[in-house]
Amino acid sequence: MEKSREQWHSKLGFVLAAAGSAIGLGNIWRFPYMTGQNGGAAFVLIYMIFVVLIGFTIMLAELTLGRHTQRNPVGAFAKIFPGTQWKWVGALGVVTGVAILSFYSVIAGWTMGYIFKIATGQFNNITDSRQVEEIFSQFVQNPLAAVGLLALFIGLTVGVIVGGVSAGIERWTKILMPILLGILLLLLVRSLTLGKGVVEGLLFYLKPNFHAVKIETWVQALGQALFSLSLGMGAMITYGSYISKKENLATCAAYVCIFDTLIALLAGLAIFPALFAMGMDPAGGPGLVFLVLPVVFDMMPGGTIFGTAFFILLTIAALTSTISLLEVAVAYFIDERNWSRKTAAVVVGVLAFLLGIPSALSQGASTWFGCIPLVHMPFLDFMNVLFGNYALTLGTLLIALFVGWKWGTKNAVKEILQGNSQFKFQSIWMITIRFVAPAAIIIILIYLICTGKFF
Ligand code: TRP
């Protein structure tokens, strides 16, 4: 007999947990620096097109698969077509989740470290952006700090997963997400009133320059949309498996996409004017928010308090995301291997930690991991591209093909219509899942294979 599966307490509970998964470092750390590296506004526009056309489509497909099968990703594919190779799509997702968890937690460790740095006034009275760069690079080059914070952060994630996600996380995200939004708005106001450079920053962020668009821009924008929405590896299959049959899946999917995009757009709007006002380089890469925000905080009254609060909240936003990354592998071991929740969480957590060490050491602590042969980039950046971009893109393609062609849109729509007397975008969704999403990804993959420009 099947055990009855745990469920979210309410629609709001689901939306918050799923938005908690989606909203994280992807919005506030990754989105701004990717935008900076890819020429600004045109990237933002392409990003938004992908969120609407592919993000929403896949979000709904994943939630539907999860609720229909009531399983983790591997189990979900295996349940619909037992004995076929489709379960490997789920397996790819489980592996991708652990890999993303490993490097994501390194960055989350930095945000945790920044709480103390800002609180103890290390960024006070900054006169020159080079000073911040100095503090940042010394910090991430310190192997003990980097690995210690990584361990601490994964430990926190494991702790929450062992304790059960529902009440605690559901309740806390409800309180903390609005506060994060509030602080973000405050930052935005400060940033927009910095004077010199603000207009330049806004133009960079809001006025598309299509000459800057290359094929790589499209690849990166799609990867970023999937990453930010937690798609392509079954996190939303897993979260969908806890949604009640009474809920309207299409609106669930829409809410998560809207919240996530809103936060990313606001983060960019707060960061770019400040960046230009400080005369910093928008293409600076992964260190971007760690260099810009401390300066902005230093320039506002009460900056130490707001800055500290901001990094606390960012750490929490990251935690609600890592929870979902870990939960996928944990649900797999519970459902398919009969492990206890605790064993699964601890074992996967240790694995992710070990895999995270090279990333933690790759930002200056070790020359060895600092430049991976062939791709010529630090290990962390390599993992970020390989799993945070390509594995998710491939996973998304396979999920779209599965739902659109193998399982079939008719079956999917039947599941979507439970708890939902009408599904407004039904015919559009049937087209996007069958044709638009796969075609876009296949075009990108063919381009990458032909040009060899993978990294
Ligand atoms: N979406 C999260 C962020 O933007 C990160 C994340 C959580 C994620 N779960 C995921 C990314 C699953 C890809 C797949 O910070």
Side-chain angles (χ1 to χ4, degrees), residues 112 147-157:
M112 228 172 10
V147 176
L149 287 166
L150 166 70
L152 193 64
F153 195 81
I154 292 195
L156 273 176
T157 310

Side-chain angles (χ1 to χ4, degrees), residues 19-30 96-97 100 104 224-236 260 317-318 320-326 328 387-388 392:
S21 164
I23 297 169
L25 298 172
N27 308 57
I28 294 164
W29 160 71
R30 207 175 190 261
T96 305
I100 294 180
Y104 193 95
Q224 174 59 21
L226 300 176
F227 185 91
S228 189
L229 294 167
S230 301
L231 296 175
M233 49 75 64
M236 291 301 165
D260 185 68
T320 54
S321 298
T322 51
I323 286 166
S324 74
L325 287 163
L326 181 58
V328 174
F387 289 100
L392 296 180

